[in-house]
Amino acid sequence: RNDGGGGQRLVAYVVAAETEEPVSRLQWRRELSEQLPDYMIPAVFMVLTEIPVTVNGKVDRLALPAPELDRSELSREYSAAQTATEELLVAIWSEVLRVERIGVHDNFFELGGDSILSLQIVAKAAQAGLRLLPKQLFKHQTIAELATAAAGSAELVMAEQGLITGDVPLTPVQKWFFEGQRVEPHHFNQALLLEVHERANHGLIKRALEHLFEHHDALRLRFVLEETGWRQFYAGLGAAVPFALEDLSELSDDDQRERVEATASRIQSSLHLTQGPLARIVLFEMGQGKPARLLVVIHHLAVDGLSWRILLEDLQTAYEQLSRGEMLRLPRKTTSYKQWAERLQEYATSDRLSKEAVYWMDGSRRQVGRLPKDHETGANTVGSSRAVVASLDEEETRMLLHEVPALYRTQVNDALLTALAQTLANWSGQRRVLVDVEGHGREEIAEDVDVSRTVGWFTTIFPVLLELGEADDVANLKLIKEQLRDIPQRGIGYGLLRYLRRDEISATLRELPRAEVLFNYLGQFDLVLGGSTLLRVAHESSGKPQSEKETRRHLLEINASVGHGRLRMTWSYSDHLHRRTTIEWLAAEYADALRKLINYSPSSQSDGFTPADFPGARLIQEELDTFLTKFKEEQGRSK
């Protein structure tokens, strides 16, 4: 059911036998936790005298009452917070769970909590200076228990709060960037063009931006090409923040749009890796009663998708503090990009990572054929890049995000990559496809590292071999799910072995065939701006983020994201190599493959289980299916 806040939660409706003793919701939850994974345990239990049915004798879902929660339903009486940590957790739980009166002995899951909400709890706790881990909320389900665990075993990672200086080792994704021998390496950016609330004070915006440049050290990175290659270092604070103000209030609407887009194109090509800056900001005043435009261009070497969320949240926070006349005070820095890069260097040579090499050097990748082309001799340049967009409607997107993962114990990426593998296989006639997958890259490589609020380019790019079977769509979903679960540490090891080592492992990885397809799921893009009252995405173009002279690394790039409740899938290609009709067919086939997965109705809930759901059992799929079939038969006979 909808939880009232834009999400969903699992609700159980229970009819108890008259002879049974009353059972608390906590008892139900504990009993189920012995048989089900956490994400399958209901958030709410509703006791009914009978299950409503339709005239046909089926459960009348529309007649099931909406869950309500009051203190009488909880397993304990209200107990107020006694310590500062407990008070902090009560405030965070209340905000996230939308429950006003929470006691320290109330159970997180009885209050309607789930695994997704637990991540929000962790994030808000970190901003308040308290480090938690998601798994702690499953183990310590009350504030009283959680506060004790947090104090004893989840100390904050201490990060340097001053100005970071000195050389910074190149990270794997940065080495990937420079390995391409780019024609114009200064022109490879990420940018946002935003509307600013019409009553915003532009002077305060400038001051807030200046503070961000001082706070987030990655915005001061510089790069020098030397005989041994590119060197990365931090510049000082001497240079002024690259901020410009343009008054377009006297121009017509059409002329304003033209000027904004022309300036954006110019700014996109104006960054300099060595002299700086690596970012430029322009504020366009559009006239009385009109929202201004804020253009922010940052070189990709210094920023990634998660970094934008951090920067925009901090911009909103700094602006609000200034507008209230308060001292600027942003959340504490986490582990610096410099320290992260140094720890990656150490981890790259560790024995633990060396053991992963067997997975990445699997020779099966040599058996993957090339993808078809409409034109064999064209140049795959950025200037020849075109795009085709396909989308799912809101209901299909809702089912993909919520129902498919629940049915098959999958993540969204499992379904997206299964449909992609099927589409490419139907096109190429091969059951094996090699895809470069992008990940956020902020993995837990050490307990004393926390990069949750660190700005920089953390992205991982790693090759995934997707192998389909001969069975139906859902059987292939299970196969792909298992293959994705086999990837060590969500792929971070590949770049470390490939780019940070100089040994036989690195040499072998360099020799293996490269993927011709890049896939990236960007998540729910609406959340980038969160609930900002200051900014929203503008409708004008922010310019071209890359030089048109560059050579593209892949034949096809597929970027999927959710915006305004709909999944959008953008297929980028070169018209020197493929006809638009070919890509339009592929995009349509991909959307249809997703719809088949969405609309499949399993014969039972157990149909979605795979060996990855029972890692300790060491089963193959056939053994698991046989066991589950016998189990259901036994259950049927017992009834």
Side-chain angles (χ1 to χ4, degrees):
R1 302 192 67 117
N2 291 329
D3 64 7
Q8 292 187 325
R9 57 182 173 175
L10 194 62
V11 180
Y13 294 92
V14 183
V15 175
E18 293 182 1
T19 56
E20 290 183 359
E21 292 292 325
V23 181
S24 73
R25 288 150 181 79
L26 188 57
Q27 288 175 279
W28 277 327
R29 195 177 309 284
R30 287 174 176 168
E31 185 73 20
L32 287 173
S33 67
E34 299 296 324
Q35 305 178 52
L36 299 173
D38 293 322
Y39 61 82
M40 293 180 65
I41 299 175
V44 181
F45 292 84
M46 292 283 291
V47 179
L48 307 178
T49 56
E50 62 180 2
I51 299 293
V53 296
T54 65
V55 292
N56 296 323
K58 297 183 178 180
V59 175
D60 187 354
R61 293 177 177 269
L62 295 178
L64 290 170
E68 297 178 354
L69 181 68
D70 57 40
R71 291 225 59 83
S72 64
E73 295 182 359
L74 301 178
S75 58
R76 295 177 181 269
E77 294 298 320
Y78 173 78
S79 297
Q82 300 296 317
T83 67
T85 301
E86 289 180 349
E87 289 178 353
L88 173 62
L89 290 173
V90 165
I92 293 172
W93 283 30
S94 180
E95 178 184 355
V96 173
L97 298 172
R98 299 181 180 86
V99 177
E100 290 187 5
R101 195 165 183 248
I102 294 179
V104 297
H105 298 299
D106 294 341
N107 185 279
F108 176 68
F109 298 98
E110 284 191 71
L111 293 168
D114 56 33
S115 59
I116 300 299
L117 294 176
S118 73
L119 296 176
Q120 296 181 32
I121 298 284
V122 170
K124 291 186 178 296
Q127 291 181 15
L130 180 66
R131 190 185 185 203
L132 299 175
L133 300 174
K135 63 183 180 183
Q136 288 181 307
L137 274 84
F138 289 93
K139 185 176 182 180
H140 308 288
Q141 299 179 6
T142 68
I143 286 175
E145 295 175 357
L146 188 60
T148 301
S153 62
E155 297 180 0
L156 279 174
V157 172
M158 300 306 295
E160 187 175 348
Q161 299 301 304
L163 198 68
I164 306 297
T165 59
D167 284 2
V168 182
L170 293 177
T171 62
V173 72
Q174 291 177 322
K175 284 181 175 275
W176 170 89
F177 171 79
F178 287 119
E179 185 183 68
Q181 298 180 342
R182 298 181 179 273
V183 179
E184 296 182 349
H186 62 279
H187 190 178
F188 189 82
N189 312 319
Q190 290 196 329
L192 279 178
L193 183 64
L194 305 166
E195 286 189 1
V196 181
H197 195 284
E198 55 263 30
R199 290 192 295 274
N201 185 308
H202 297 171
L204 297 186
I205 290 177
K206 182 177 184 294
R207 288 178 58 192
L209 288 165
E210 290 172 345
H211 190 68
L212 259 62
F213 270 73
E214 180 179 348
H215 187 79
H216 294 291
D217 300 284
L219 300 179
R220 296 182 289 101
L221 285 172
R222 299 289 186 270
F223 299 84
V224 176
L225 181 58
E226 301 177 340
E227 290 185 4
T228 56
W230 286 91
R231 180 171 65 89
Q232 176 179 210
F233 63 96
Y234 288 112
L237 281 175
V241 172
F243 177 91
L245 179 65
E246 289 200 17
D247 187 354
L248 309 182
S249 57
E250 299 299 323
L251 301 180
S252 67
D253 290 347
D254 289 341
D255 288 343
Q256 285 182 340
R257 171 189 285 273
E258 184 177 334
R259 178 73 69 83
V260 167
E261 295 184 349
T263 301
S265 296
R266 176 175 56 81
I267 294 297
Q268 286 273 21
S269 62
S270 69
L271 305 182
H272 198 288
L273 293 182
T274 303
Q275 299 174 7
L278 255 60
R280 287 191 182 277
I281 302 141
V282 181
L283 182 65
F284 301 93
E285 292 187 338
M286 311 297 278
Q288 186 69 28
K290 293 182 180 180
R293 302 294 190 269
L294 182 67
L295 173 69
V296 185
V297 178
I298 306 176
H299 199 284
H300 205 342
L301 283 168
V303 74
D304 59 14
L306 286 176
S307 297
W308 280 103
R309 184 192 298 264
I310 298 166
L311 291 170
L312 294 173
E313 287 179 353
D314 284 358
L315 176 58
Q316 173 93 13
T317 298
Y319 178 82
E320 290 177 349
Q321 290 173 345
L322 288 170
S323 63
R324 294 191 296 264
E326 300 173 357
M327 179 183 298
L328 281 173
R329 184 173 299 172
L330 295 177
R332 290 176 60 85
K333 294 181 181 181
T334 49
T335 304
S336 70
Y337 195 69
K338 175 182 178 180
Q339 186 178 356
W340 167 259
E342 292 169 346
R343 296 304 296 271
L344 287 181
Q345 294 274 349
E346 298 171 7
Y347 188 52
T349 58
S350 67
D351 292 338
R352 178 184 173 187
L353 189 63
S354 296
K355 294 176 182 178
E356 290 186 16
V358 176
Y359 174 86
W360 297 111
M361 293 191 298
D362 184 359
S364 298
R365 279 196 277 160
R366 299 186 187 275
Q367 303 170 21
V368 176
R370 314 312 292 176
L371 294 175
K373 297 178 185 176
D374 295 325
H375 313 291
E376 287 293 336
T377 59
N380 189 14
T381 61
V382 172
S384 69
S385 179
R386 304 291 182 266
V388 169
V389 179
S391 63
L392 300 183
D393 63 29
E394 292 186 16
E395 177 60 16
E396 291 167 339
T397 301
R398 184 194 64 78
M399 294 175 69
L400 176 68
L401 296 180
H402 300 291
E403 295 191 13
V404 172
L407 282 174
Y408 307 113
R409 292 86 191 165
T410 58
Q411 300 171 13
V412 175
N413 247 17
D414 300 334
L416 293 173
L417 285 169
T418 298
L420 179 61
Q422 291 173 321
T423 301
L424 296 177
N426 292 338
W427 180 38
S428 65
Q430 306 174 64
R431 305 303 292 175
R432 286 177 171 172
V433 295
L434 188 63
V435 178
D436 274 345
V437 175
E438 286 198 30
H440 62 70
R442 299 174 190 237
E443 311 299 344
E444 297 179 12
I445 62 171
E447 292 185 359
D448 61 344
V449 171
D450 174 15
V451 291
S452 61
R453 274 192 44 80
T454 306
V455 170
W457 193 9
F458 291 86
T459 305
T460 51
I461 303 174
F462 51 94
V464 177
L465 181 63
L466 303 175
E467 187 167 359
L468 299 171
E470 301 295 335
D472 60 20
D473 298 324
V474 171
N476 279 320
L477 175 59
K478 292 180 180 180
L479 281 174
I480 298 301
K481 168 187 169 182
E482 289 291 304
Q483 292 164 26
L484 295 176
R485 296 301 180 275
D486 286 340
I487 298 173
Q489 296 191 89
R490 291 174 290 277
I492 192 173
Y494 174 81
L496 299 176
L497 294 168
R498 168 73 169 76
Y499 294 102
L500 298 190
R501 293 171 66 133
R502 288 293 181 269
D503 55 13
E504 292 183 7
I505 296 174
S506 175
T508 301
L509 294 179
R510 292 170 186 271
E511 293 172 357
L512 288 174
R514 292 171 56 179
E516 295 182 298
V517 177
L518 176 69
F519 175 82
N520 186 17
Y521 174 56
L522 299 167
Q524 300 186 52
F525 192 73
D526 291 345
L527 300 180
V528 172
L529 288 176
S532 175
T533 58
L534 178 67
L535 306 167
R536 63 173 179 257
V537 177
H539 56 272
E540 297 91 354
S541 170
S542 60
K544 295 179 179 180
Q546 295 186 46
S547 167
E548 295 189 346
K549 300 176 183 178
E550 301 294 349
T551 299
R552 300 171 69 247
R553 298 284 191 98
H554 300 85
L555 287 182
L556 301 174
E557 298 176 9
I558 298 97
N559 286 284
S561 64
V562 176
H564 303 293
R566 303 184 63 175
L567 178 73
R568 285 172 50 91
M569 299 152 285
T570 303
W571 288 65
S572 299
Y573 67 101
S574 168
D575 65 3
H576 290 171
L577 300 173
H578 290 106
R579 292 189 293 267
R580 185 175 184 85
T581 53
T582 299
I583 308 304
E584 288 175 338
W585 177 82
L586 285 170
E589 286 287 302
Y590 183 45
D592 287 343
L594 283 172
R595 292 187 181 100
K596 288 180 182 178
L597 292 174
I598 291 168
N599 294 321
Y600 176 83
S601 298
S603 59
S604 71
Q605 286 292 315
S606 63
D607 284 355
F609 282 112
T610 70
D613 299 314
F614 308 95
R618 298 181 180 178
L619 298 171
I620 62 174
Q621 187 68 54
E622 291 77 10
E623 293 171 334
L624 178 59
D625 291 341
T626 299
F627 170 79
L628 292 173
T629 299
K630 291 182 178 179
F631 180 74
K632 288 185 287 184
E633 291 173 351
E634 290 293 329
Q635 281 189 316
R637 283 194 290 269
S638 66
K639 293 180 179 179

